[in-house]
Structures are given as C-alpha cells and as structure tokens.
Amino acid sequence: MSVGVAIALTHLRSSDALPNLAAGYPHSSPTADTAIAQDLEYTPSLETSEASSVQFPAGYQQQFVHYATVDCPNSSIVRQMYVNRPALDTLKTSETVPSGTVIVMETHSARQGSHGRLTPTRLN
C-alpha cells in the first residue's frame, strides 16, 4: 500500500504533470493514445467482489482527474492514476497535498502493445 501511495504522489507532484492536467493525461501524445486505445481488447469491470478488499469511489472515472498512466514492463503491469478535483485545485496553487486527498490507482495486468507501450488486459 505505501509503495502505491509513493508512486501515485510522485506522479501527481511531478513538475510536468500539474500544468497539463486540465488537458487530460499528460504523459502521451494523441498518436500514442490512439494506438493504445486501438490495442485495448477489453473493458475493465470496476465492480468489486466480496473477496476484494478495495472499494473504488463511486463514479471516480468521471468525477476525478486521470493524471498519469505508468507502464511497468518488468512486472507487466499498467497503473492508471486518478485524483479528486478539490485536491487537484489545491495542488495547483500550493506545494502541499491537502488533507482529504483521494488518489485512486488501478493496476492492470498487461501485454506488450504497439509503440513500445503496454496494453492493459485485466484489472487486478
């Protein structure tokens, strides 16, 4: 858990991420995003089962800001990271992550896709 939080905060607080968050995912080009979207062969189910200990906030994919996608080729994992809007608004004017910040990190199993990027295959 602490490793995931460190990864999420590192990408949220990076100097190149914040200025571009209003435009969406800051670490790719439209060409790469199109290629990645074309490689997707599944729609992740974000419902949790009784066996799952993680409860995603309701509607986070629509209400939160997607600020980073991190490919982890050594472990064949793709991480999608989202942050709640009030925290993002505070971070744009402050260097402090405010109390009440909610960061959601989806981890997906992945395979090698086009353009050297991983393509998610299953929500873990």
Side-chain angles (χ1 to χ4, degrees):
M1 174 84 133
S2 61
V3 172
V5 171
I7 291 167
L9 286 174
T10 299
H11 285 278
L12 180 60
R13 302 251 344 251
S14 71
S15 60
D16 64 329
L18 285 177
N20 299 316
L21 282 174
Y25 173 50
H27 301 292
S28 66
S29 67
T31 304
D33 282 347
T34 301
I36 291 167
Q38 290 171 349
D39 282 345
L40 295 179
E41 296 175 0
Y42 82 111
T43 302
S45 170
L46 298 177
E47 297 177 19
T48 58
S49 68
E50 289 180 22
S52 174
S53 61
V54 174
Q55 297 293 321
F56 291 100
Y60 74 90
Q61 288 182 315
Q62 293 76 35
Q63 296 173 10
F64 287 24
V65 176
H66 175 234
Y67 69 90
T69 295
V70 179
D71 286 353
C72 303
N74 290 340
S75 59
S76 296
I77 298 278
V78 172
R79 294 183 173 111
Q80 303 282 342
M81 293 180 233
Y82 300 81
V83 65
N84 61 321
R85 173 82 47 200
L88 177 63
D89 292 342
T90 300
L91 279 166
K92 287 180 180 178
T93 60
S94 170
E95 292 186 17
T96 303
V97 177
S99 178
T101 296
V102 179
I103 296 174
V104 175
M105 181 170 64
E106 301 172 351
T107 59
H108 300 260
S109 297
R111 64 174 169 75
Q112 189 63 43
S114 62
H115 303 289
R117 300 288 309 265
L118 293 176
T119 299
T121 57
R122 180 179 56 92
L123 180 65
N124 294 333

